[in-house]
Amino acid sequence: DAKTTQPTSMDCAEGRAANLPCNHSTISGNEYVYWYRQIHSQGPQYIIHGLKNNETNEMASLIITEDRKSSTLILPHATLRDTAVYYCIVRVAGDMRFGAGTRLTVKP
Amino acid sequence: GAVVSQHPSRVICKSGTSVKIECRSLDFQATTMFWYRQFPKKSLMLMATSNEGSKATYEQGVEKDKFLINHASLTLSTLTVTSAHPEDSSFYICSATQGLAYNEQFFGPGTRLTVL
């Protein structure tokens, strides 16, 4: 599976959009981009995934660049409860391999 | 979404004892289950992958005789930490996937193991 690069940490003001970037320059054509988050001392929570097209669900939007070498997870109106570590994972199938992720802190 | 539970959520045991952690998929049949370990302020590390009715596949560096995994049914997998020692203290998390392997994984809430 391709490796991903994410910023170590980010801050966001409550009520504003949180944009979390992820680089996956070695992604192959059949690899999906997944996003999970982990709130302190809990199991990871699935957020969204995509292959080529942009995706949106009730939690977030996923924007994948045309060359698929990077993506951005967008939380449209961040709340304090969105404070967590966000993981971007690229995979075809099978297990999830977690990197260090981005620690997002939403501030009042 | 699909729900995965773990039991117990927290366990404290003495050094040398064995501890069993259960992972259940509550509303779906899990073709594959995964076990992860997470140390404080670190990311999740995959320990092993198990398919129902077959032997688990362990990651390099994970002792299969120490971490016994049983996946006896499509809704239950167990991880037994044998002869636990303080260095085994960690947050253990299971996940399950339904159907095709590229489907999203659903994670349990985790089990905090403390070995005294």
Side-chain angles (χ1 to χ4, degrees):
Chain A
D1 295 335
K3 290 190 176 180
T4 61
T5 304
Q6 299 177 252
T8 302
S9 63
M10 294 181 63
D11 291 342
C12 176
E14 187 179 18
R16 305 296 293 269
N19 297 288
L20 292 92
C22 179
N23 287 324
H24 30 78
S25 58
T26 60
I27 192 170
S28 60
N30 58 349
E31 288 185 305
Y32 287 76
V33 180
Y34 285 79
W35 283 84
Y36 282 78
R37 72 180 182 184
Q38 186 179 26
I39 297 170
H40 182 64
S41 294
Q42 297 182 23
Q45 177 188 21
Y46 167 80
I47 301 173
I48 200 167
H49 76 282
L51 183 62
K52 296 180 183 177
N53 300 322
N54 297 337
E55 302 288 341
T56 296
N57 62 23
E58 65 277 5
M59 288 184 67
S61 294
L62 173 61
I63 308 297
I64 302 174
T65 58
E66 193 169 342
D67 63 8
R68 304 209 323 123
K69 292 185 176 182
S70 66
S71 60
T72 301
L73 177 74
I74 301 172
L75 306 179
H77 305 286
T79 70
L80 298 179
R81 287 179 292 183
D82 291 322
T83 293
V85 178
Y86 286 77
Y87 297 98
C88 168
I89 300 166
V90 173
R91 74 190 266 262
V92 175
D95 54 78
M96 293 281 181
R97 304 276 174 164
F98 288 79
T102 296
R103 182 171 296 279
L104 175 69
T105 303
V106 180
K107 298 186 174 181
Chain B
V3 179
V4 175
S5 70
Q6 283 185 239
H7 178 79
S9 59
R10 187 180 298 267
V11 58
I12 300 173
C13 69
K14 293 182 178 180
S15 185
T17 61
S18 294
V19 175
K20 180 184 285 188
I21 302 169
E22 291 186 350
C23 176
R24 294 182 185 273
S25 57
L26 298 185
D27 51 3
F28 68 100
Q29 292 188 325
T31 51
T32 306
M33 288 184 166
F34 305 87
W35 286 96
Y36 295 81
R37 179 169 54 180
Q38 185 175 32
F39 292 108
K41 298 187 185 296
K42 299 293 184 181
S43 188
L44 286 78
M45 295 297 296
L46 180 67
M47 299 176 67
T49 302
S50 72
N51 294 294
E52 183 262 340
S54 60
K55 290 185 178 180
T57 302
Y58 291 81
E59 293 298 301
Q60 190 173 12
V62 178
E63 300 175 58
K64 61 180 181 181
D65 294 331
K66 181 168 186 61
F67 299 100
L68 302 179
I69 292 172
N70 184 280
H71 192 165
S73 77
L74 285 172
T75 59
L76 173 64
S77 176
T78 60
L79 168 68
T80 301
V81 183
T82 62
S83 187
H85 292 283
E87 58 266 28
D88 298 323
S89 297
S90 188
F91 192 49
Y92 291 87
I93 305 168
C94 73
S95 70
T97 188
Q98 175 186 19
L100 299 175
Y102 57 76
N103 286 350
E104 63 265 32
Q105 287 187 22
F106 301 99
F107 285 80
T111 296
R112 175 77 57 191
L113 170 64
T114 303
V115 185
L116 302 176

